[in-house]
Amino acid sequence: MSRPKSTDVDRSVKAVQRTLAILDAFIPHPGGITLGELEAATGLFKSVILRYMLTLEAQRYVFKRTDGCYELGSRAYQLGCVYERTFDLHQHVKPVLEKLTAATLESSTFYIRDGEYRMCLLRKDSPQHIKSSVPVGTLLAMDDTSAASVLSQFAQGMPPRWDYQRGLFTSTGAGLNRLKTNSLLTASISVPVFKHQNQLAGALSISGPTSRFDPEDIATQQLILDAAKELSYVLGAAVV
């Protein structure tokens, strides 16, 4: 059942920003948050926060416990469930791979960790005849390639005081796949992509023949770093 439309006009962007700031403050406080903690997190006076809370409580976005602490309400839970049901990693990663390949003319891949292996989850092959090629779904060893290094190094998620430059790995002529075939003619560059709660989502990679692709190229490194930061932001990570 749809709600009746209001004729009131609210042009206050600041009001929306304050509301979102209050809701954002709950993220690092899963056990509940006090009014004082809300004040410290948002920079708003308690009297201002309380006015917003009246509406948020009425709409079931927050719930006030008997001890005075606040928790997210059932409406916030419903939104989270809808997000979880409809979220599709593929639709966010594919355009990034296409953009990287269009810019570099080399193959772009998104790897994830699968036990003792790394798996090629998504791939955009180079349009060139000679190229680095790994079929989607292929399991590869956790070797000394740049993608495997990223998946190993950041298995526990985003480190404290994170700087994306620290997450860039390169490799040339490295790796030994499950078919025992040396990748001596392939060079690659990889960076981590993070998701909500700063957990590792996967490794974003660009690879190509060593005769043509230089993983130490500054422009290419900046390109993949920017792509990883943008994708991490979309996936819910706290990107710096």
Side-chain angles (χ1 to χ4, degrees):
M1 180 174 151
S2 60
R3 298 183 184 179
K5 290 192 171 27
S6 172
T7 56
D8 296 336
V9 178
D10 182 4
R11 297 185 177 89
S12 175
V13 175
K14 185 176 290 187
V16 177
Q17 291 174 332
R18 287 177 172 177
T19 303
L20 294 176
I22 291 171
L23 292 174
D24 283 348
F26 283 84
I27 295 174
H29 293 85
I33 189 170
T34 66
L35 191 59
E37 288 170 330
L38 281 169
E39 184 180 45
T42 63
L44 300 172
F45 291 113
K46 291 180 181 179
S47 57
V48 174
I49 296 171
L50 283 171
R51 290 203 300 271
Y52 282 87
M53 284 304 194
L54 290 175
T55 299
L56 290 171
E57 283 185 83
Q59 298 298 324
R60 293 179 289 130
Y61 282 95
V62 299
F63 171 76
K64 187 175 182 179
R65 302 189 319 215
T66 55
D67 62 0
C69 287
Y70 292 91
E71 293 182 352
L72 288 175
S74 59
R75 199 65 174 170
Y77 174 73
Q78 287 178 294
L79 286 176
C81 289
V82 171
Y83 174 81
E84 188 174 26
R85 286 198 305 269
T86 60
F87 179 79
D88 183 1
L89 179 65
H90 291 56
Q91 73 175 352
H92 294 293
V93 176
K94 280 184 177 179
V96 175
L97 298 180
E98 290 170 357
K99 181 179 178 180
L100 290 175
T101 294
T104 64
L105 298 181
E106 301 295 354
S107 299
S108 302
T109 312
F110 190 78
Y111 291 99
I112 61 171
R113 185 76 179 262
D114 187 356
E116 296 304 311
Y117 298 92
R118 56 187 168 99
M119 184 177 78
C120 174
L121 182 68
L122 292 165
R123 175 87 170 182
K124 179 64 178 178
D125 275 334
S126 166
Q128 304 190 72
H129 179 66
I130 299 176
K131 59 193 173 186
S132 164
S133 184
V134 178
V136 170
T138 300
L139 289 177
L140 300 167
M142 290 295 291
D143 45 32
D144 56 349
T145 55
S146 64
S149 298
V150 165
L151 294 175
S152 296
Q153 183 74 22
F154 301 101
Q156 302 305 313
M158 184 187 294
R161 297 180 295 280
W162 173 245
D163 177 356
Y164 254 86
Q165 296 289 342
R166 293 164 50 199
L168 193 146
F169 287 76
T170 63
S171 60
T172 301
L176 188 68
N177 66 21
R178 65 175 180 173
L179 300 179
K180 306 301 182 183
T181 302
N182 288 308
S183 304
L184 297 177
L185 301 180
T186 301
S188 67
I189 178 173
S190 302
V191 291
V193 172
F194 298 101
K195 57 185 178 181
H196 54 85
Q197 297 183 329
N198 294 340
Q199 295 302 301
L200 182 66
L204 187 63
S205 300
I206 303 174
S207 58
T210 55
S211 60
R212 186 179 67 220
F213 179 62
D214 179 13
E216 303 301 330
D217 178 69
I218 299 301
T220 305
Q221 291 185 352
Q222 192 59 54
L223 181 70
I224 195 171
L225 283 170
D226 290 343
K229 288 176 68 174
E230 182 178 345
L231 182 54
S232 294
Y233 177 80
V234 170
L235 299 184
V239 179
V240 179

